[in-house]
Amino acid sequence: QKNLPFFTSSQLKFWFSCLFIAILYIHSKQIIFRFLTLSNIIIKENGYLSLINFTNAKIIKEKTKTIIGLPQYMSPEMLVGEPYSFEVDYWSIAVIMYELAYRKVPFGEGVTDPIGVYFSIINSNLNHPENSKDKLLFNLLQGMLSKNKRGRIEKKEDIKGHLWFKDFNWKMVEELKYNSEFRPVVENIGSPQINYCYLIH
């Protein structure tokens, strides 16, 4: 992560919206992803993000209890074995956006022991990164990564309507009309096998 460039606020908004729209779509089909990490995202040649690897996805009606995923991206309720629903995918999106914005995960950075990561997610406070210049972005991520589920921002209307997204055109993203600032350099565009790149190598 430390080798990542610093992305602009507009680029981060675009990528957030790509992930959120994709997750909302699969949720509308009663599918919970449960394993949303940087390694399960690709950037297509037009700059848009796509989800890959639905191995751990599951169709649910209301809630499930399976403890599954990569530790750094798992929500507190999942870690302690509480029933959880589609909102755990929003938690994972917030972790990813924190990682892209600040080049480190919000909880358990540098910790190799999974138990240590679990402890950090459940007990550690979310620190304000030194390189954080976008106060509204941090405010959104802080709300989405709240340990107190009652106070957590996890309604889609509250996320899309957050001040960080003021004047952001969600419809343009949905209609694939938004021009991404970042596009991967791809050779042999006609070959579907290499017509994308991973967000992080």
Side-chain angles (χ1 to χ4, degrees), residues 21-80:
I21 289 170
I23 286 296
L24 288 179
Y25 176 77
I26 66 171
H27 286 179
S28 72
K29 305 299 181 182
Q30 302 301 112
I31 300 171
I32 184 172
F33 196 81
R34 299 193 301 175
F35 200 32
L36 190 57
T37 69
L38 283 173
S39 60
N40 287 330
I41 300 168
I42 58 173
I43 307 178
K44 299 194 293 185
E45 72 279 0
N46 62 359
Y48 277 71
L49 303 185
S50 289
L51 301 179
I52 60 173
N53 188 7
F54 280 69
T55 304
N56 296 304
K58 181 180 181 180
I59 297 176
I60 64 171
K61 291 184 178 180
E62 293 184 0
K63 294 186 177 184
T64 185
K65 292 183 65 175
T66 309
I67 300 176
I68 195 168
L70 196 63
Q72 288 85 350
Y73 300 84
M74 295 166 66
S75 67
E77 56 269 24
M78 180 185 285
L79 290 174
V80 299

Side-chain angles (χ1 to χ4, degrees), residues 9 12-13 98 101-102 126 128-143 153 162-165:
S9 179
L12 292 172
K13 288 177 186 177
Y98 189 102
Y102 311 123
L126 184 67
H128 195 288
E130 294 180 0
N131 58 350
S132 173
K133 297 180 180 179
D134 192 333
K135 294 182 179 179
L136 287 176
L137 169 59
F138 182 76
N139 178 266
L140 173 59
L141 298 181
Q142 187 178 41
I153 300 176
H162 190 273
L163 280 176
W164 189 54
F165 285 110

Side-chain angles (χ1 to χ4, degrees), residues 138-163:
F138 182 76
N139 178 266
L140 173 59
L141 298 181
Q142 187 178 41
M144 293 179 69
L145 295 171
S146 171
K147 307 299 177 69
N148 180 2
K149 198 170 186 329
R150 290 186 177 181
R152 189 182 302 166
I153 300 176
E154 57 181 13
K155 291 183 179 180
K156 61 182 180 181
E157 296 83 4
D158 293 338
I159 294 173
K160 294 179 71 173
H162 190 273
L163 280 176

Side-chain angles (χ1 to χ4, degrees), residues 1 17 20 75 92 116 127 133 169 173 192 201:
Q1 295 94 328
S17 64
F20 199 59
S75 67
S92 299
N127 293 322
K133 297 180 180 179
N169 195 325
V173 180
H201 296 281

